[in-house]
Amino acid sequence: MTQSPAMPALTQQMQECIEACMSCHSMCEETMTSCMQKGGQQQMQIMRALMDCSETTRMCADMMMRRSPMSGEMCALCAKVCDMCAEACMAMPDDQQLMRCAEACRRCAQTCRAMAGAGSM
C-alpha cells in the first residue's frame, strides 16, 4: 500500500476562518429556531437568509478542512452570503438573537474575505 503525501498543516488564518464559519453556522441554526417560534412574514424572509448562511458556512469550513483547491472561491462566496444574512438580521434591531447572529455573520464574512484574498490554500 502506497503512502499518500501528508496534508499540509492548517495555517492559523485557516483555523480562525474555520472556527468563525462553524460559530456562524451554529448561530444561524439557533436563530432559525428562534424565528420559527415567532413566525410572521418578516421572519420567513430572514429564515431564507439564515438557511443559506448556515449551509454555506458549514460547506466552507468542510472545504477548508479537507484543503479543497476550491476553498478560496468558496470563502469568497461565503463572505457574500454572510453579509447578506447579517443585513437580513439587522432588519429587526430589537431582536437580540438576530443581533447576535448578525455579529457572527459579520465576523465570518471578514475572516472569509481574508482567506479568499490569501489565494490558494
Side-chain angles (χ1 to χ4, degrees), residues 6-118:
M7 231 190 282
L10 289 172
T11 65
Q12 182 67 32
Q13 185 181 29
M14 287 174 80
Q15 289 174 3
E16 288 173 8
C17 191
I18 290 166
E19 288 170 17
C21 283
M22 294 310 294
S23 175
C24 187
H25 168 75
S26 296
M27 183 59 73
C28 286
E29 290 290 323
E30 289 174 30
T31 305
M32 278 190 271
T33 300
S34 173
C35 285
M36 283 188 275
Q37 292 169 346
K38 294 175 183 170
Q41 187 59 36
Q42 190 171 20
Q43 297 288 346
M44 291 308 295
Q45 291 172 342
I46 295 169
M47 285 283 292
R48 280 191 280 280
L50 289 166
M51 284 187 254
D52 287 350
C53 192
S54 173
E55 291 299 317
T56 304
T57 52
R58 184 192 50 77
M59 183 184 298
C60 189
D62 288 350
M63 290 176 77
M64 281 186 283
M65 285 186 275
R66 68 176 169 259
R67 287 30 160 229
S68 168
M70 296 300 296
S71 56
E73 288 88 344
M74 187 65 203
C75 284
L77 175 63
C78 190
K80 289 179 186 178
V81 172
C82 286
D83 285 337
M84 178 193 71
C85 190
E87 190 67 32
C89 289
M90 295 302 292
M92 299 184 75
D94 294 336
D95 187 312
Q96 290 305 306
Q97 180 67 34
L98 287 171
M99 293 304 98
R100 285 190 297 274
C101 189
E103 181 56 36
C105 290
R106 282 193 292 268
R107 180 173 175 269
C108 188
Q110 181 181 12
T111 63
C112 281
R113 266 192 294 280
M115 282 306 300

